[in-house]
Amino acid sequence: MDREDEPRGASERSRSRRSRGLRLASLPVAHAGRAAVGLGRRIGGRPAEMVSREVQERTADQLFRVLGELKGGAMKVGQAMSAMEAALPAELAEPYREALVRLQEAAPPMSATTMRRVLADGLGPDWAGRLTEVNDRPAAAASIGQVHRGTWHDGRAVAVKVQYPGAAKALAADLRQLDRLAPLVRVGAPGLDPRALFAELHDRLLDEVDYGRESETQEAFAEAFRDDPDIFVPDVVEAADGVLVSEWVGGTPLAKVIAEGSTAQRDRAGLLLVRLLASSPARVGRLHGDPHPGNFRLLDDGRLVVLDFGSWEPMPDGWPSALGTLLVAGRDREARALGAEARRVGLIPDQGVAPAALLDLVDPVLEPLRHEDFTFERSWLQELTRRSSDPRTPQAKVQRQLRVPARHLLVQRVAAGLVGVLCSLGATVPVRAEAERWVPGLH
């Protein structure tokens, strides 16, 4: 087929893919240009550390802005890379968050016609006989899909998750461009292997568009927490390509609890978030991978509702025993034991990181384990971020030497996300008791 005869929609999609690729490909080139300018300034007499910091700030800012401006897959990449936020100066974190918020708010919902076509493609031409009612207006929207309220043929109220047409292909196209960003990751996090990091991101993010895998994970969590007095997971009703139907659950969105909740509600939500994430490796053999406020609700009876299972980490043997050993050594401020275990599991190199320096880095992070109850405050989190991200601090130098395997990226993201939500709640939580209950060797 000649280009002139190519269908208009296919031509537009092709141009869109080229545009996305060019924008992602431009990032390392821009970084190289700024690095060259930085070299000139160093020759001109400006301190090397000041110039390096300026280059890093501008590069990170462009990275986050471009990922934020692109749709679908690139946005998911940006969200997954949010674990890097703690490695950046605070002034860069806010523009990044704002870019993602703008993207989420600007994403237009798919039309009712398109939504019904996706339902027909996934559930079959007789879908209306099973899903007897579906609201054309989405109840919620995200980067790769949206949720509609409906009624199943047996009268149950259901949540119908519908994936945007082409979301999987757009995600795959964006992920193929990831290797181009390797020079930027080396600037922000020299201890990471960018290739291994992106390979891990590729696998994790493609899982998020696979509603079949998501339904299996949701069913595993629903069974493990069935009749639980604290955690509620809605059952899967139907799963198909691009469509996931679950029980509809009401309750107060966690974002509203953060904004308007009472102290008791905030503390309750914080406790149950910690309990869910600490206990799921032992109870389900999987770690819930996305502690985003939009994925949770609080019922009037005090139970925490868990809504999204697109991101998860397999942990068939529960938490590794080394985690308890590391946490005990850090909690009890045993620098030598902490350094020895960290070297044994490959978190730090054999030479170059003194045990006392490693303890100094993690000491305030482990403060919640030293108290019967701990109140998570924004000021505490901001100080943690400053210590580990400001290149002028000794803690940041240690942070840059850590060797966290790419396969543990999701665990890092979960930990960082959980702490962020707890600080947004301002919750007072008995973290020590929950950790001792579920992490082997922590007593």
Side-chain angles (χ1 to χ4, degrees), residues 77-94:
V77 172
Q79 289 173 323
M81 291 175 68
S82 63
M84 290 177 59
E85 180 179 325
L88 298 172
E91 58 268 23
L92 296 182
E94 191 60 33

Side-chain angles (χ1 to χ4, degrees), residues 277-279 281 287 315 317-331 337-338 341-342 344-345 347 365-366 369 408 411-412 415 434-436 438-443:
L277 298 172
S279 69
L287 174 68
M315 287 188 168
D317 301 319
W319 294 108
S321 59
L323 177 62
T325 304
L326 285 165
L327 292 177
V328 167
R331 179 198 64 191
L338 176 66
E341 184 66 10
R344 186 185 72 81
V345 299
L347 291 178
V365 178
L366 299 178
L369 296 179
H408 292 155
V411 177
Q412 281 188 295
E434 291 297 320
E436 290 178 350
W438 299 109
V439 179
L442 193 52
H443 282 288

Side-chain angles (χ1 to χ4, degrees), residues 130-442:
R130 287 177 289 162
L131 183 60
T132 56
E133 293 181 19
V134 59
N135 194 322
D136 288 341
R137 188 169 185 173
S143 59
I144 60 173
Q146 59 193 40
V147 178
H148 296 254
R149 183 165 185 171
T151 303
W152 203 240
H153 63 83
D154 59 7
R156 279 182 292 175
V158 291
V160 186
K161 191 173 181 179
V162 183
Q163 194 172 113
Y164 299 134
K169 291 182 179 179
L171 177 58
D174 289 335
L175 292 174
R176 284 194 293 269
Q177 301 288 337
L178 280 177
D179 283 349
R180 299 177 181 272
L181 305 181
L184 306 185
V185 175
R186 292 191 182 98
V187 171
L192 284 176
D193 178 352
R195 308 292 179 181
L197 170 67
F198 292 151
E200 183 72 9
L201 280 175
H202 180 278
D203 294 341
R204 295 294 180 200
L205 294 177
L206 286 183
D207 283 347
E208 294 197 31
V209 297
D210 187 340
Y211 284 178
R213 287 175 60 89
E214 180 174 350
S215 69
E216 293 174 4
T217 300
Q218 183 171 337
E219 288 171 343
F221 272 82
E223 189 58 37
F225 287 96
R226 195 170 304 282
D227 301 322
D228 189 272
D230 299 315
I231 310 293
F232 179 80
V233 179
D235 282 320
V236 173
V237 176
E238 186 80 26
D241 186 23
V243 181
L244 179 58
V245 183
S246 307
E247 292 179 295
W248 179 270
V249 186
T252 303
L254 189 59
K256 188 172 183 179
V257 175
I258 291 173
E260 307 172 5
S262 66
T263 299
Q265 286 178 314
R266 291 165 178 266
D267 291 348
R268 177 69 175 171
L271 168 63
L272 298 187
L273 281 170
V274 171
R275 183 167 297 168
L276 167 72
L277 298 172
S279 69
S280 63
R283 299 181 66 174
V284 194
R286 312 183 193 204
L287 174 68
H288 185 281
D290 193 4
H292 184 277
N295 295 335
F296 303 97
R297 292 173 178 263
L298 198 62
L299 295 176
D300 291 341
D301 62 11
R303 287 181 295 169
L304 182 75
V305 178
V306 191
L307 295 175
D308 192 290
F309 296 87
S311 178
W312 55 278
E313 171 85 5
M315 287 188 168
D317 301 319
W319 294 108
S321 59
L323 177 62
T325 304
L326 285 165
L327 292 177
V328 167
R331 179 198 64 191
D332 297 343
R333 296 190 170 98
E334 296 287 347
R336 183 175 298 178
L338 176 66
E341 184 66 10
R343 278 192 294 272
R344 186 185 72 81
V345 299
L347 291 178
I348 58 174
D350 291 337
Q351 303 292 331
V353 178
L358 177 62
L359 177 60
D360 184 48
L361 172 67
V362 303
D363 186 66
V365 178
L366 299 178
E367 197 62 30
L369 296 179
R370 301 186 181 116
H371 304 273
E372 184 174 345
D373 295 292
F374 184 80
T375 300
F376 289 84
E377 298 175 336
R378 293 177 186 268
S379 58
W380 171 75
L381 179 57
Q382 290 166 357
E383 176 60 16
L384 292 184
T385 304
R386 185 198 66 79
R387 293 173 85 250
S388 63
S389 65
D390 188 333
R392 295 167 295 186
T393 66
Q395 296 85 9
K397 295 178 181 177
V398 177
Q399 175 79 36
R400 289 167 64 87
Q401 296 183 71
L402 296 184
R403 296 176 173 177
V404 181
R407 67 180 182 275
H408 292 155
L409 171 69
L410 184 68
V411 177
Q412 281 188 295
R413 190 174 78 176
V414 170
L418 173 62
V419 169
V421 174
L422 294 175
C423 289
S424 295
L425 286 164
T428 299
V429 182
V431 175
R432 184 176 68 188
E434 291 297 320
E436 290 178 350
R437 180 181 178 187
W438 299 109
V439 179
L442 193 52

Side-chain angles (χ1 to χ4, degrees), residues 9-30:
S11 177
E12 289 176 350
R13 287 193 295 272
S14 177
R15 287 196 299 272
S16 176
R17 286 193 295 270
R18 288 196 297 271
S19 175
R20 296 162 73 85
L22 288 171
R23 297 182 74 178
L24 288 170
S26 71
L27 289 170
V29 175

